[in-house]
Amino acid sequence: MVTMLLDRRTLLKGIGAAGASVSVAGLASASDGSVEYVVTGKGNGVSDAVADAGFEVFRTVADGEILGVRGPADAESDLSGVAGVSAVSRDVRLDFTEPVDRRVVDPDETDEEPAFAELQWDNRRIDAGEAREFATGEGTSVAVVDTGIDFDHPDLGNVNEDLAATFIPEDASATDGADDEVRGHGTAVAGVVGATGDQGIVGVAPDTELIPVRVFPDEGGARFIDIFAGIDYAAAVGADVANFSLGVPGVLPPQANQGGIRAAIQTVFQSAVRRGTVVTASAGNAGGNLQQGGGFSLPNSVPAAFSVSATGPNDELVFYSNFGTNEIDVAAPGGGYETLEKTLSTDTPFPFPTNLVFTTYPLERGAYVYIAGTSFSAPQVAGLAALVRELEPNAGPSQVEQAIQQGAELVNGKSDPELGAGRINALNTVESLAKKNGKNKKKKK
């Protein structure tokens, strides 16, 4: 039995406000009323110096270069004056605005394997099926830094529960740890990366190992310091890729460029890349032009992030995706069309909702979902990075990124304002590497 639950008004609210996206839920503070800060510093003694100045250091990230700090309100200048501190910002909490349209599947009443492959236009657009004849992500791992992953989903049997980790505020709850039973976003991202195809759909890298890194509690937002801790953890456990489909909402003005959050993101991402982890990041869903006026968005404007814009079934940039020369590295399917009106139309080659990305969702919330956003273009690239790492396990992050860019299509060069080096093509990428390394196609299962 298959039941379609569609609510155009909800989808309009979700995508129109920028897809499965995040918004600022407020400034971060502790249950005792103290204010929480993100502090960036250099040197081994920064944490001790901050503590000696009367502040509480409650989280340490990236070998002590990033600190989660509690103290009184309006203490930025005091913290900035501590020896070794280079940037300070109030921490904030981010929370989701997401559509709830979903397709509900009863696994006991569906015996097709996979049941919904025909709905995955995104897989076909990037030639993922043909690419899996050369590589499937075997021997690799992708950390999904998000809301966790549903441990019981029939298409996500490749979740490594032993490496699952949770980073949330001390006064918040995460039922069953990194098992995503409530929020859904991380499960949807994970399906794009590496759904196994055992039941409903198949991801780009079905044999990769998925590592759930939960940074959102059951209710309420995620602090940046916890998100940073999640990225840091992914690198610490040796993940080949860390997917980061989260970020600061909107397009930020030039004067915000020197803020402490950007400095911290850059420090954490660079630390992860130095340790060998590719960090794929969504370009953002504000529909913003990042090449004029000095505006930028986070995390994709940070050099260490492999930034991904979103395209639709016709390979055009989708209406909600940010864009800008030197801001976009590659593009990948994210769902929707060039305008919201066209996206919601039923008179197109892929009528609503089939022009959205169809992916996994928690069993308790419907098993599969139609959803859209750059949140779902980034994991397409994360899955492809896993295929690259299978073929070239010793390739550094920059080499993985170059291989993906060289395999992309539709544009010349690497600086197209909408697509960067182009819309990814998994087959082009892995076939070229396989030929270079003298490897044959894998045997089909």
Side-chain angles (χ1 to χ4, degrees):
M1 178 181 69
V2 177
T3 304
M4 187 80 75
L5 301 181
L6 297 175
D7 182 340
R8 295 164 73 92
R9 186 176 303 172
T10 302
L11 187 66
L12 176 65
K13 178 181 178 182
I15 293 184
S21 188
V22 292
S23 60
V24 175
L27 296 172
S29 60
S31 57
D32 63 3
S34 59
V35 167
E36 295 180 340
Y37 300 92
V38 174
V39 175
T40 304
K42 290 286 186 182
N44 296 328
V46 176
S47 179
D48 290 340
V50 169
D52 290 343
F55 295 89
E56 175 193 356
V57 178
F58 67 89
R59 196 178 290 288
T60 302
V61 180
D63 293 328
E65 292 188 64
I66 305 296
L67 307 174
V69 174
R70 294 193 182 103
D74 302 319
E76 288 91 340
S77 60
D78 293 334
L79 278 167
S80 297
V82 174
V85 171
S86 58
V88 178
S89 176
R90 281 290 306 269
D91 202 352
V92 299
R93 296 195 185 199
L94 305 178
D95 211 347
F96 285 103
T97 300
E98 60 174 338
V100 296
D101 302 337
R102 59 194 182 272
R103 175 171 283 203
V104 181
V105 178
D106 183 346
D108 294 331
E109 298 184 24
T110 305
D111 55 10
E112 301 173 71
E113 295 184 6
F116 302 121
E118 78 279 3
L119 301 179
Q120 294 187 268
W121 62 265
D122 51 321
N123 249 249
R124 295 191 298 276
R125 184 59 64 194
I126 66 172
D127 293 333
E130 293 85 347
R132 288 190 290 269
E133 295 181 8
F134 292 93
T136 57
E138 184 177 2
T140 70
S141 60
V142 178
V144 177
V145 182
D146 215 292
T147 66
I149 301 174
D150 185 352
F151 292 174
D152 298 319
H153 197 289
D155 279 331
L156 297 174
N158 49 348
V159 172
N160 186 325
E161 297 182 30
D162 293 334
L163 288 181
T166 301
F167 302 93
I168 61 171
E170 293 82 348
D171 59 352
S173 173
T175 305
D176 295 329
D179 191 352
D180 183 21
E181 298 179 355
V182 178
R183 307 304 289 263
H185 191 270
T187 299
V189 167
V192 175
V193 174
T196 61
D198 288 346
Q199 176 70 52
I201 65 166
V202 61
V204 178
D207 287 335
T208 195
E209 181 180 81
L210 298 170
I211 302 175
V213 183
R214 183 172 180 176
V215 295
F216 280 85
D218 290 344
E219 296 181 0
R223 301 176 299 190
F224 263 111
I225 192 63
D226 295 325
I227 293 171
F228 297 154
I231 294 286
D232 190 57
Y233 174 79
V237 299
D240 290 286
V241 190
N243 186 80
F244 187 78
S245 287
L246 312 167
V248 176
V251 176
L252 303 176
Q255 56 267 31
N257 200 36
Q258 300 304 315
I261 293 295
R262 175 169 181 147
I265 289 176
Q266 183 162 331
T267 297
V268 172
F269 279 28
Q270 286 176 335
S271 174
V273 169
R274 281 198 303 270
R275 286 177 280 175
T277 298
V278 178
V279 182
T280 50
S282 53
N285 300 328
N289 183 343
L290 302 176
Q291 69 187 88
Q292 296 176 354
F296 68 101
S297 62
L298 296 174
N300 67 292
S301 289
V302 171
F306 198 44
S307 174
V308 187
S309 61
T311 55
N314 58 356
D315 282 333
E316 298 292 336
L317 189 76
V318 182
F319 71 91
Y320 53 76
S321 181
N322 287 345
F323 61 94
T325 303
N326 300 322
E327 295 286 342
I328 304 300
D329 291 307
V330 290
Y337 280 114
E338 306 95 293
T339 66
L340 178 59
E341 181 181 17
K342 185 175 180 180
T343 298
L344 296 176
S345 173
T346 57
D347 187 23
T348 60
F350 289 85
F352 175 82
T354 63
N355 56 63
L356 309 184
V357 171
F358 191 70
T359 185
T360 48
Y361 216 48
L363 290 176
E364 294 187 6
R365 297 194 63 190
Y368 300 90
V369 65
Y370 279 110
I371 201 163
T374 56
S375 284
F376 308 102
S377 58
Q380 309 268 359
V381 179
L384 178 52
L387 302 187
V388 173
R389 271 280 169 82
E390 178 188 340
L391 294 172
E392 294 203 344
N394 296 321
S398 62
Q399 294 170 306
V400 173
E401 293 170 8
Q402 288 171 9
I404 292 172
Q405 289 179 310
Q406 288 169 1
E409 55 189 1
L410 305 180
V411 303
N412 294 318
K414 295 184 177 182
S415 300
D416 184 84
E418 296 185 349
L419 308 184
R423 193 259 298 128
I424 63 169
N425 183 292
L427 176 60
N428 288 351
T429 299
V430 300
E431 187 174 33
S432 175
L433 294 175
K435 288 180 178 179
K436 183 181 74 172
N437 296 330
K439 296 184 177 181
N440 299 319
K441 291 183 178 181
K442 301 183 72 163
K443 293 182 179 179
K444 292 186 177 180
K445 295 182 179 180

